[in-house]
Amino acid sequence: MDQVKVEVALPGRIEPDVLAFPVREDANGGFVDGAAILDERLNGRLRRLADSGELRGELGRTLVLHTDGDVNAHRIATAGIGRIEAVDADALRTAAAAVARATREVGGTVAWMLDDSLPLDSGDQARAVVEGLVLGSYRPGRWKTNERARRPIERIVLCAGAEQGLAEAAERAARVAGWVNWARDLANSPPNELTPEALAARAAETGVAALTAESLDPAQIDELGMGALAAVGRASANGPRLIVLRYEPPEPARAELTLGLVGKAITFDAGGISLKPALNMQDMKGDMAGGAGVLAGTAAVADLGLPIRIVAVVAAAENLVSGDSFRPGDILRAANGKTIEITNTDAEGRLVLADALWYARREGATHLLDLATLTGAMELALGDLYAGMFANDNAWRDEILRAAERSGDHAWPFPLHPRYRRYVDSTYADLKNSSDLKQASPALAAEFLREFAGEGPWAHIDMAGPGFLERSRGDYLTQRGGTGYGVRLIVELATQLSA
């Protein structure tokens, strides 16, 4: 994986291709102190542009100027961050991503002037800016044959004093953002290229020495009694895989804790016999975004060397139609012995997760978190910004919510309640995989999964909205397709648990 270089330096000691600075939305033009010095060297050009209304501080607004040698930068880029009272990490990510897009023909070295007057300390600013630049410069069209080669951002320089830990925080952010983009590449890959077997191969090729990877093939899945995963994948000529990553640090901070991460990876979802509508079915290549987030998040934790033990389990399959499809009315037996009546073959994600959750517990996970693009109803409820979360343990829920807010992979809690269990009651089997009541379908899915989560803390994140975008989100994620949701959350959660 390519890595953007990051460093900290004073503005006068570098000669970047682009020197960017934040502009606040206020009556004074919102210049930071360093920008006022730049304006003097530019003979007042910035102030004149501000007075004319061309240079403004609305969130995401940019203006790029050639300096003609007046300062030690080839170009100046202004980055609107909005009103000061509304500035947060997402605002800085959005501003930085806008600069990356505005200068995408330039690339090379991008420098950014940190601003002491903002309501974020320099470390949080550095992290947000680096993430915004790396994520904002992502290009999804690598399959285009006529795509003109552009120079990528090769180096990010944060203009600040030699504050302790600042360079390390920025370098860490760049590494994590690189893994986010790796997950985006997986989610954007066409399904004829990224089959379950190919996804397993990609998981084994992370290049992180501390990770071990294995993949269970259809015969091994059958031997373990994983009737749910096997049924979902059996209609395809590309058989299912259970992908397992293990990370064992030399000295875990908590010897009693093993973080279990479980991901849904339906590499293409036609819905099975309960066929999906044709319109936008091509986006169903992104139904493995949860699995991509788990794989990349685990790799990022191992790459950073965080002292926490992880077992990651990703259930990969294609949900297609053939003479061997599983059917509505079938009764499957999952690996934990419970029987499942199938009432909708397009409710397949919870089926593959059922066996994966069991396997993660069997492999020693003490605390479980699963990520899945699971229900359209969750996207209706929360849109493309927040994922919904269910948990069987309040302390575990709060730990994950704190990591979600800190990371920028936002999540919102939803309730579990024993009375929701009636939604998955079956006349013929232990439970069924969908309901015709048209009520609380995310809660139905969560209650279903709880039956397979085993003993101990467990949480389920339904990321149907923010996992794979149908259009620009209007912030630092403007590209259609995979977002890498979950990677930053996993890293932040692992950091908290190993502190």
Side-chain angles (χ1 to χ4, degrees):
M1 184 183 68
D2 294 334
Q3 179 65 53
V4 177
K5 297 178 181 177
V6 181
E7 61 187 80
V8 177
L10 295 174
R13 297 182 180 178
I14 55 173
E15 190 174 338
D17 296 282
V18 179
L19 174 60
F21 65 89
V23 179
R24 300 185 295 277
E25 185 181 358
D26 61 33
N28 297 319
F31 291 171
V32 300
D33 291 341
I37 296 172
L38 286 176
D39 194 33
E40 290 179 9
R41 296 181 180 176
L42 292 169
N43 299 312
R45 288 171 63 192
L46 297 178
R47 175 54 58 191
R48 290 194 297 274
L49 288 168
D51 291 342
S52 69
E54 293 177 72
L55 194 166
R56 301 203 300 272
E58 290 98 332
L59 181 60
R61 185 180 178 91
T62 60
L63 183 67
V64 180
L65 307 172
H66 284 263
T67 65
D68 300 323
D70 291 331
V71 298
N72 290 339
H74 300 293
R75 298 162 192 83
I76 296 290
T78 67
I81 58 173
R83 301 196 65 83
I84 188 68
E85 61 271 18
V87 170
D88 58 8
D90 272 352
L92 284 186
R93 293 182 185 108
T94 298
V99 168
R101 292 191 298 272
T103 60
R104 61 183 177 270
E105 304 290 341
V106 179
T109 297
V110 177
W112 184 284
M113 298 172 63
L114 300 184
D115 183 357
D116 291 337
S117 70
L118 298 184
L120 289 85
D121 65 33
S122 57
D124 286 342
Q125 287 187 52
R127 174 178 172 175
V129 166
V130 170
E131 288 178 354
L133 289 171
V134 175
L135 300 181
S137 61
Y138 175 79
R139 296 169 184 164
R142 63 184 180 89
W143 293 270
K144 292 178 181 286
T145 56
N146 61 349
E147 180 83 343
R148 184 169 58 83
R150 295 169 176 168
R151 186 184 180 192
I153 295 177
E154 299 164 347
R155 184 172 66 136
I156 297 171
V157 181
L158 299 171
C159 298
E163 183 176 330
Q164 186 175 5
L166 187 59
E168 291 80 1
E171 193 273 339
R172 170 188 166 118
R175 290 167 72 180
V176 174
W179 285 111
V180 174
N181 284 344
W182 187 81
R184 296 168 84 178
D185 279 343
L186 290 179
N188 291 331
S189 294
N192 60 315
E193 178 180 303
L194 194 76
T195 62
E197 183 178 10
L199 180 61
R202 293 289 298 275
E205 297 169 353
T206 62
V208 181
L211 277 181
T212 60
E214 67 174 316
S215 171
L216 279 61
D217 63 21
Q220 293 169 302
I221 288 169
D222 288 340
E223 287 174 9
L224 287 168
M226 294 182 171
L229 173 57
V232 172
R234 76 186 187 205
S236 174
N238 301 306
R241 294 293 187 276
L242 191 76
I243 304 165
V244 184
L245 290 183
R246 291 182 176 85
Y247 170 54
E248 183 74 43
E251 297 182 4
R254 296 174 61 180
E256 82 287 356
L257 187 147
T258 298
L259 176 60
L261 301 171
V262 173
K264 170 191 172 184
I266 303 298
T267 56
F268 186 75
D269 183 17
I273 288 176
S274 306
L275 192 67
K276 290 181 179 292
L279 184 63
N280 294 325
M281 193 191 284
Q282 68 273 12
D283 285 348
M284 289 299 100
K285 67 180 182 178
D287 206 19
M288 42 65 65
V294 164
L295 294 175
T298 304
V301 170
D303 189 24
L304 294 171
L306 298 181
I308 180 170
R309 186 184 301 109
I310 293 180
V311 56
V313 182
V314 172
E318 291 181 336
N319 187 24
L320 302 182
V321 185
S322 77
D324 200 25
S325 297
F326 75 119
R327 297 153 291 222
D330 283 358
I331 294 178
L332 312 177
R333 187 177 297 277
N336 72 345
K338 293 189 177 183
T339 55
I340 307 164
E341 179 193 3
I342 302 303
T343 56
N344 185 343
T345 63
D346 195 28
E348 86 297 328
R350 65 206 66 181
L351 297 175
V352 303
L353 288 173
D355 283 338
L357 286 166
W358 170 84
Y359 191 84
R361 284 289 191 206
R362 194 194 84 153
E363 294 302 297
T366 60
H367 293 67
L368 273 179
L369 170 63
D370 74 70
L371 289 90
T373 51
L374 210 62
T375 67
M378 188 58 78
E379 184 175 6
L380 290 175
L382 294 178
D384 57 14
L385 181 59
Y386 276 78
M389 190 184 75
F390 300 83
N392 66 355
D393 180 274
N394 289 344
W396 185 228
R397 174 200 64 199
D398 293 344
E399 190 81 56
I400 295 168
L401 286 175
R402 186 159 64 95
E405 189 60 27
R406 170 76 175 152
S407 68
D409 283 338
H410 300 296
W412 197 259
F414 279 74
L416 286 173
H417 194 283
R419 293 182 193 172
Y420 281 126
R421 179 61 176 77
R422 75 188 192 280
Y423 284 104
V424 293
D425 285 343
S426 167
T427 302
Y428 308 103
D430 294 327
L431 67 168
K432 61 185 179 182
N433 78 323
S434 70
S435 169
D436 59 3
L437 295 178
K438 306 300 181 185
Q439 295 179 8
S441 60
L444 176 158
E447 286 293 347
F448 180 96
L449 293 175
R450 178 151 63 163
E451 297 286 320
F452 303 90
E455 297 298 322
W458 156 77
H460 159 60
I461 287 184
D462 188 338
M463 47 180 276
F468 194 93
L469 301 182
E470 300 170 1
R471 63 191 71 81
S472 168
R473 205 169 75 176
D475 56 9
Y476 58 96
L477 293 173
T478 61
Q479 301 285 3
R480 193 175 189 276
T483 64
Y485 181 95
V487 177
R488 291 176 295 161
L489 189 159
I490 288 169
V491 171
E492 190 62 39
L493 179 62
T495 301
Q496 291 172 190
L497 293 175
S498 59

